[in-house]
Each structure stands twice: as structure tokens, then as C-alpha cells.
Amino acid sequence: MTAQTTTRSIAPTTAREMTGAEMVVRALVDQGVDTLFGYPGGAVLPIYDALFNDNETHGERLRHILVRHEQGATHAAEGYARSTGKPGVVLVTSGPGATNAITGIVDALMDSIPMVVFTGQVPTHLIGTDAFQEADTVGITRACTKHNYLVKDVADLPRIIHEAFHIATTGRPGPVLIDIPKDVQFSTATYQGPDEVAFSHGYAPRTKGDSGKIAEAVRLIAKARRPVFYTGGGVINAGPAASAALRTLAAMTGAPVTSTLMGLGAFPAADPAWLGMLGMHGTYEANHAMHDCDVMICVGARFDDRVTGRLDAFSPNSKKIHIDIDASSINKNVRVDIGIVGDARSVLDDMIEAWKAEGLEANRTALDDWWRQIDAWRAVQCLRYTPSTTAIKPQQAIERLYALTRDRDTYITTEVGQHQMWAAQFYRFQEPNRWMTSGGLGTMGYGMPAAVGVQLAHPGSLVIDIAGEASIQMCIQELSTAVQYGLPIKIFILNNEWMGMVRQWQQLLHGERYSQSYSESLPDFVKLAEAYGAVGIRCSDPAELDAKIMEMIDSPHPVIFDCRVEKLENCLPMIPSGKAHNEMILPEGGDDIGKVIDEAGRRLV
Amino acid sequence: MKPGAGWFKGGDMTTAPNPASAYDMSHEDVVENLATFALLVDNEAGVLHRVVGLFAARGYNIDSLTVAETDRRSHTSRITIVTRGAPHVLEQIEAQLSKVVSVRRVHDVTRDPNGIERELALVKVRGTGTDRVEALRVSDIFRAKVIDTTSESFVFEITGAPSKIDSFVELMRPLGLVELSRTGVLSIERGAEGM
Ligand SMILES: Cc1ncc(C[n+]2csc(CCOP(=O)(O)OP(=O)(O)O)c2C)c(N)n1
Ligand SMILES: [Mg+2]
């Protein structure tokens, strides 16, 4: 470092005149950011310089985590955000840095994850000239961010950054991107703190639900004979208090609770009112309860096609209440009877108050019948599988992993595929923010970088990425990040040598023509772990499973666990495409599943 | 304006109330209504793209679109967009537009009894003899202005509700209609209150 740059950085922190690059660092500190995921390059070097100087002066109050690929930075930021409720922050360079970050940005948009992404841009006077590493980043990301900015004047930068954090974290959370040309990073202006800037837009999300509709909703629930709560990621996003309110309201109303993939953990799996996950690979009892209910209370979920199955047969005889912070989610896929726009926590709290104020009572006799019906569905035991003494069943691997980690402070991330669904079915979440998975976009490669983000936010906790052998190779390079920062994440691969979910669909829908879904050449995952400086463990014997899982948990290092499982196991139960909630394939039908789906269903995704 | 992706007419992309599957939503034919939305937006680079991109990405139609800055001091522009769809699609369009951070207000002009819609068109007609006389006579009835004349052509300027312009154009067609340029719909509310 030259003396000159050092001198500049030790100017008193109250100094208001600073460069754009210094503003970025200062604004992040003022926003309470402690961790930044990034990768340097020409167009962001001034910001990296400012970061260096800030670290010299103030110590590491803003920790930069150097990833190995910008996609990793975005997923790590997602993991950090989802496990803490705070926004994830990303810093990447122009051109390829920005384009590599796109997958994680779209992922965050689909799953409503608060994220602020800073991209460098070529100097203002070169924009539009096809300059080196120029990409139209704001153009490319307009459709995949909640909002984005190209900063043209350094004087606007403080306002834009504070505005970006506000937009990313309020309303329906999402990614916001700020593209900063290099000359703007060098020029100087007056910095303003979060409380000093005046926002320039009319953005004002509604958080408080309409009290008239809330009163109407609780009366409808009190009259219900077969109510069900269908909850989603919105409850998690609304913070732990929203999960607490959900538990209270469910207890008051006596209604069972199911949840989407994104909502797992908001309601404890140990509670007798828990039905398990719903949807395509949801439980028999959850999907039948959805189909047969008379009042559905949807909280922070969006009637996604993986959840509803066949729309014209979706819960045909129910009155539907939909609580969502995003007005455009209401009546989008399914018409509802009462739509309440608001924050899940605020609306659930208001519902509890309204229930008490009106002195409402649930119809216990009707509920007893409803619960008897639910118990009959539960008796089907839709998640049963046949254990084996010679091969590890993937379901068994997750069950054992759960049994051996349940008493610890554990966070689970996943990749995408069968293993993800088995994790959702067999790992029993009791708390919100413990489960990080790519739901809306279904991004293979999400889990390991997400685990890096989670482990950074929760250094003392046990963080496990439940992975597939195909998915893990999509962002395997982040193992190097984990090793560099001493993050003892555990990568638990259900290695079936197949892109199992693809193979299952080919079996089901494409006449068992297994086109390109077998991995002919897999790396030796134990050696791969060792090559990165991590620990590798392999297990293929059911008898050794527990001991090896314990060895993984007890290791203070990052571990790749190559769990060799039964190769052709199918993930069941399943609502085939184009079918209704009460037309599930159950485990015993597993042998001729190729005949269950009709021609129309085959054309669906 | 150059027709961009937003001009894609997804005629078959209309949504039935509860179609058999999310993937069937594009194939049902249901009654479509026209709707005019007036938007106040932040006048910043890319804002038109945000609006037009939303229509393209979600398969909504754009029948016409007008945009211009309307308040320099508060950096706002007004976009008037004419679209069509089943009632619940129009509801969805309004909700989606309201969600865009740069969009300050969305007003459904069609559903507002006080909404006024006007359009301007320039119409070139070529002809001689009785056709020429007839064109001039019709233009008089429609209170169109002649803004250019040659011995064998006129350019008319006409303003009015879009349906009035449609009728005028239909009458001009057999009289030698050569070219038509329309602004798209503008709108405002009757009475003293602003948007
Ligand atoms: C980036 C990306 N590419 C392709 C897919 C499609 N896809 C979904 S699951 C899957 C197979 C995953 O295989 P593996 O990771 O081994 O998991 P398994 O299903 O075997 O548990 C594929 C290719 C995807 N979801 N994401
Ligand atoms: Mg696999």
C-alpha cells in the first residue's frame, strides 16, 4: 500500500466528503452489514481499495468473503440472509462478474430473499461502446431484480444505497442491484447516512392487513368444520415472531398445518397438528387435507404449480383465505374468497386479537371428525420405505442424519433433486430459518455456497448441505472458500450415480429411456475433498452409517461425506403432473409408475 | 417508438379462471375486455422498459402505449397503456404494475366513469374526382383538420375517442387511404382533482 492511500483512509470518519468507493463501504457499515460476498475485477478495484483501507483503519468491521465464482457469492448471500433474516450483500465486477451472478439473483427473486448486489461498470463515457468487460447489467437484470440502479452521479450514491437496502428488505423481499461505473467510484461528493437521505420513489409496501377482512376471516375459520393452514416462505420472511403467531393461531383454531417447501420450520414438525409438506412430493395427509378442507388459510404462500397440482381440481369445495404481502399474489393462480394484503406477522397477530375480541370458539365436534379423517390418511404411512441390510436407502440416510443431529444447533441446506425432496420429507424442522433450499428456481449448485453463508453467520453451529452427486459439482469450487475461512460445513452427498430426479421422470414419463441422466464418470469424492484440504468420508454399508455420520459431525473441518445409496430409489409419494391432490402415487405402486401419467400430463413440466 | 418485445400480441395467452393446470392457462379462450391504464412513473432511464418488459414477460397484450414526461420538477412521466384481457387478468396487470418500484400510481381509466380517453391520428388519403370531394366532406363531419394538401392527396389531423378514429379510418379506406399514424390513447379524469 502506498502512503497516500493510507493517509486518505485515516481521515476522521466524520468527514463527509469522500469518493464513491468510500461511500459504498461507509454505507454498508451504516446499514449494519458485517459480511460481504464478492470477487474482484477491474471495474470494482476502487471499492476493493476502499475496503482495504477501511480494514486497516477500523479492523475487520466489514468482512469480505472471497468466493471462487460469482454464482457462489450470490448463493452464499442467500444462505446468510435466509438463516439470519438480514440482507445478503454481494460485490462483483462488471461484465462476466455480473453475468455469473445472475443465477443467484433470479434465485433470490423467486424465493423472496433480501439481497443487495453491487456490480462494477465501465466508466460512464465508455458505456455503450462495447468496452472491455462491458455488459448492459441493468438491462439484463431489470427482469430479475426487485429494483435496480445505474449510478450516473456520485452525489446520488448514498441515497441509492440506502434506498436499495430499504427496498430489498421491506415488503416482499428481493434482490436489488446497484451498477456503479468506475469513474463514479473515483469521484467525490458528500456522504449522507441512512437517516439523512430522502427516498426518491413512491415505494410504500402495505404491512397492516384490512381489519374488516381480518374479522371476516376469523369468523369463517371459527365456523369451519375442516380447516387447514397452508403456510409458506412468507411466514419465515416475516421473522420468528410470525412463526410464533402461527403456532398460537393454529392452537386456538385447532386446525392442522401444512407448508410449502419454503415454509418448513415455521411450524414445528413435532407438533401433533403438523401434516408434513404439501405438493408434488408432499404427504398423503397434507394433500388430502388440502383437497377436502372447507376453509383454507393460506399464509405467505403463492399457490405455485408444484403445490396446487391440477388447478381445476384444486381444493374444490373450500373457502379460501389468502394472506400475502404481495397484492399481485392474491388471485393470481387461484381465486380466493378473502384476500388480505399485509405482513404475515402483523396479520396473524391481528387475527389472534380479533379471535379473542369476538370471543370465537372452534367447532370442536366437527374438528374431532376432521382429525379422525386425518388420522386415517396418516395411517396410509405415505413415506414408508423398505430398509435393506445391503444398501443404504436414501430415506434412511436422512432419517439417521436427523436422529444424530436433532439435539444440536443444526442448519440444513440442499441442492436440487430427489435428495432435496427426501430432506424435506425426512428431516424434521422445529424452528424457522433452519432450512435453506432453492424452491422457486430449483437451482442445482445452491446448497454448498448457501452453507458457506450460513456457517459464516452461525460460526458455532452445525451446517449441513444435503446434496446429490450431480448437483454438488455445479458449485464444487466453493469448497475452497470453506477451507480458506475455516468453515466446517458438512456436505452430505446422497450418491446414487444418477441425476435421480431426472431418471425418475424418465422412468415415469419417457418410457424408461434414460437419456443423459447417468453420470458415467464421477470424481472420487474422498480424494476430491482431500485435494481441497477438506476431509473425505465414504460409506456404503448401512451398518456403518451411524458411526460415519458421527465422525462427520465431530470433525472440526469441512467434510464431504460420500454416502453411497440405493441407485434406483424413487422419490414418493408423488402427485404426477396434471393430476389432483387426491390422485397421488404411493410407495407400493412404485413398480409400474410408468403407466400412471397420461399423454396430457407428459407434456407438463 | 420502435415496436419492442412488448408489442408481442399474446392473443392466445389469456387466462381462464381456474384452468386444469398452470400450463393450460394459455390455451383457454375467454371473454376479453379492453382496459386503459394511466401510470405515473419516475422519469428515469429504463422505466419504459420495466413496464413494457413486464407485459412481455407475463404475456399480456399491449394495444397501444404512449409516454412522455409530464412534470419536470418532480421527475414524473405519464404512461397510458391500452391492454386487453379477462377481468382477472386485468386485475393481475394492475397489481403487477403497482408492484414496480418506479411506478407511483396506477389508474384504471376504463373502470372510472369520469375517465376521458382521446387519441390523435394523422391520415393520408390519395384520390381525385368524387373520392376527393367525399373525403373532404367526411373530414368536415368528423371535424378533422386538413394539414397538408397536394392536387391528389390530403393529410388529415383528427382527434377523438379511439372509436371515432376507427370510424373515420374505415370511411377513408375506400376513398384512397394511404397511410395512418396514431398516437395511441391519452387519458385524464373529468373534474378538478388530479391523479
Ligand atoms: C442448474 C440446473 N440444471 C438442471 C436442473 C434440472 N435437474 C433437476 S434435478 C436434476 C438432477 C439432480 O441430480 P443429483 O444432484 O444427483 O440429485 P438426485 O436427484 O440424484 O438426488 C436436474 C438435472 C436444475 N434443477 N438445475
Ligand atoms: Mg444423484
Side-chain angles (χ1 to χ4, degrees), chain A residues 418-419 467-471 493-501 517 519:
Chain A
Q418 290 181 318
H419 61 273
E469 79 297 327
S471 294
I493 304 177
L494 295 186
N495 184 348
N496 53 11
E497 295 177 17
W498 287 86
M499 296 174 193
M501 193 55 96
S517 53
S519 295

Short mmCIF file of all heavy atoms in Angstrom, two decimals, chain A residues 418-419 467-471 493-501 517 519, ligand 2:
data_model
loop_
_atom_site.label_atom_id
_atom_site.label_comp_id
_atom_site.label_asym_id
_atom_site.label_seq_id
_atom_site.Cartn_x
_atom_site.Cartn_y
_atom_site.Cartn_z
N GLN A 418 -33.86 -35.40 -6.06
CA GLN A 418 -34.52 -36.31 -5.12
C GLN A 418 -34.06 -36.08 -3.69
O GLN A 418 -34.86 -36.06 -2.77
CB GLN A 418 -34.19 -37.76 -5.51
CG GLN A 418 -34.85 -38.23 -6.79
CD GLN A 418 -34.47 -39.68 -7.07
OE1 GLN A 418 -33.33 -40.08 -6.90
NE2 GLN A 418 -35.45 -40.46 -7.50
N HIS A 419 -32.74 -35.89 -3.53
CA HIS A 419 -32.19 -35.72 -2.17
C HIS A 419 -32.85 -34.54 -1.46
O HIS A 419 -33.07 -34.56 -0.26
CB HIS A 419 -30.68 -35.52 -2.24
CG HIS A 419 -30.30 -34.29 -3.01
ND1 HIS A 419 -30.13 -34.29 -4.37
CD2 HIS A 419 -30.13 -33.02 -2.61
CE1 HIS A 419 -29.86 -33.06 -4.77
NE2 HIS A 419 -29.85 -32.27 -3.72
N ALA A 467 -26.83 -33.10 -0.35
CA ALA A 467 -26.51 -32.88 -1.77
C ALA A 467 -26.73 -34.13 -2.61
O ALA A 467 -26.91 -35.24 -2.09
CB ALA A 467 -25.05 -32.43 -1.88
N GLY A 468 -26.75 -33.92 -3.92
CA GLY A 468 -26.70 -35.02 -4.87
C GLY A 468 -25.35 -34.98 -5.55
O GLY A 468 -24.71 -33.92 -5.60
N GLU A 469 -24.90 -36.11 -6.08
CA GLU A 469 -23.56 -36.15 -6.67
C GLU A 469 -23.49 -35.31 -7.95
O GLU A 469 -22.41 -34.87 -8.34
CB GLU A 469 -23.09 -37.60 -6.90
CG GLU A 469 -23.65 -38.29 -8.14
CD GLU A 469 -25.16 -38.46 -8.09
OE1 GLU A 469 -25.70 -38.65 -7.00
OE2 GLU A 469 -25.79 -38.38 -9.17
N ALA A 470 -24.63 -35.09 -8.60
CA ALA A 470 -24.60 -34.25 -9.80
C ALA A 470 -24.63 -32.77 -9.39
O ALA A 470 -23.80 -31.97 -9.84
CB ALA A 470 -25.79 -34.58 -10.71
N SER A 471 -25.56 -32.41 -8.54
CA SER A 471 -25.69 -31.00 -8.12
C SER A 471 -24.40 -30.46 -7.52
O SER A 471 -24.02 -29.31 -7.78
CB SER A 471 -26.78 -30.86 -7.07
OG SER A 471 -28.04 -31.15 -7.58
N ILE A 493 -23.52 -36.10 0.65
CA ILE A 493 -23.98 -36.43 -0.70
C ILE A 493 -24.73 -37.75 -0.69
O ILE A 493 -24.18 -38.78 -0.30
CB ILE A 493 -22.79 -36.55 -1.68
CG1 ILE A 493 -21.96 -35.26 -1.69
CG2 ILE A 493 -23.29 -36.89 -3.08
CD1 ILE A 493 -20.72 -35.34 -2.58
N LEU A 494 -25.99 -37.73 -1.13
CA LEU A 494 -26.70 -38.99 -1.38
C LEU A 494 -26.30 -39.40 -2.79
O LEU A 494 -26.90 -38.97 -3.77
CB LEU A 494 -28.21 -38.78 -1.28
CG LEU A 494 -28.78 -38.39 0.09
CD1 LEU A 494 -30.30 -38.38 0.04
CD2 LEU A 494 -28.30 -39.33 1.18
N ASN A 495 -25.26 -40.21 -2.87
CA ASN A 495 -24.68 -40.53 -4.17
C ASN A 495 -25.37 -41.75 -4.78
O ASN A 495 -25.13 -42.88 -4.38
CB ASN A 495 -23.18 -40.78 -3.98
CG ASN A 495 -22.47 -41.01 -5.31
OD1 ASN A 495 -23.13 -41.21 -6.34
ND2 ASN A 495 -21.15 -40.99 -5.28
N ASN A 496 -26.25 -41.48 -5.74
CA ASN A 496 -26.93 -42.58 -6.43
C ASN A 496 -26.42 -42.73 -7.87
O ASN A 496 -27.02 -43.45 -8.67
CB ASN A 496 -28.45 -42.37 -6.40
CG ASN A 496 -28.86 -41.00 -6.93
OD1 ASN A 496 -28.04 -40.28 -7.51
ND2 ASN A 496 -30.12 -40.63 -6.75
N GLU A 497 -25.39 -42.01 -8.20
CA GLU A 497 -24.75 -42.05 -9.52
C GLU A 497 -25.66 -41.56 -10.65
O GLU A 497 -25.27 -41.51 -11.80
CB GLU A 497 -24.23 -43.45 -9.87
CG GLU A 497 -23.11 -43.89 -8.93
CD GLU A 497 -22.63 -45.30 -9.20
OE1 GLU A 497 -22.90 -45.84 -10.29
OE2 GLU A 497 -21.97 -45.86 -8.30
N TRP A 498 -26.88 -41.22 -10.32
CA TRP A 498 -27.83 -40.75 -11.32
C TRP A 498 -28.27 -39.34 -10.98
O TRP A 498 -28.29 -38.96 -9.82
CB TRP A 498 -29.10 -41.62 -11.32
CG TRP A 498 -28.95 -42.97 -11.91
CD1 TRP A 498 -28.54 -44.09 -11.27
CD2 TRP A 498 -29.23 -43.35 -13.26
NE1 TRP A 498 -28.54 -45.16 -12.13
CE2 TRP A 498 -28.97 -44.73 -13.37
CE3 TRP A 498 -29.69 -42.66 -14.39
CZ2 TRP A 498 -29.13 -45.43 -14.56
CZ3 TRP A 498 -29.85 -43.36 -15.57
CH2 TRP A 498 -29.57 -44.74 -15.66
N MET A 499 -28.65 -38.60 -12.01
CA MET A 499 -29.46 -37.42 -11.76
C MET A 499 -30.82 -37.99 -11.42
O MET A 499 -31.69 -38.15 -12.28
CB MET A 499 -29.55 -36.54 -13.01
CG MET A 499 -28.22 -35.98 -13.45
SD MET A 499 -28.44 -35.12 -15.00
CE MET A 499 -26.73 -34.92 -15.45
N GLY A 500 -30.96 -38.35 -10.16
CA GLY A 500 -32.06 -39.20 -9.75
C GLY A 500 -33.42 -38.66 -10.12
O GLY A 500 -34.30 -39.41 -10.57
N MET A 501 -33.61 -37.38 -9.94
CA MET A 501 -34.93 -36.82 -10.22
C MET A 501 -35.22 -36.87 -11.72
O MET A 501 -36.34 -37.14 -12.14
CB MET A 501 -35.02 -35.38 -9.71
CG MET A 501 -36.41 -34.82 -9.69
SD MET A 501 -37.56 -35.84 -8.74
CE MET A 501 -37.55 -35.03 -7.16
N SER A 517 -28.85 -39.09 -18.20
CA SER A 517 -29.08 -38.84 -16.79
C SER A 517 -28.18 -39.68 -15.88
O SER A 517 -28.27 -39.59 -14.66
CB SER A 517 -30.55 -39.08 -16.43
OG SER A 517 -30.96 -40.36 -16.86
N SER A 519 -24.37 -40.51 -14.56
CA SER A 519 -23.03 -39.92 -14.53
C SER A 519 -22.00 -41.02 -14.76
O SER A 519 -21.69 -41.80 -13.86
CB SER A 519 -22.78 -39.25 -13.18
OG SER A 519 -23.64 -38.17 -13.03
MG MG C 2 -27.91 -38.23 -7.86
#
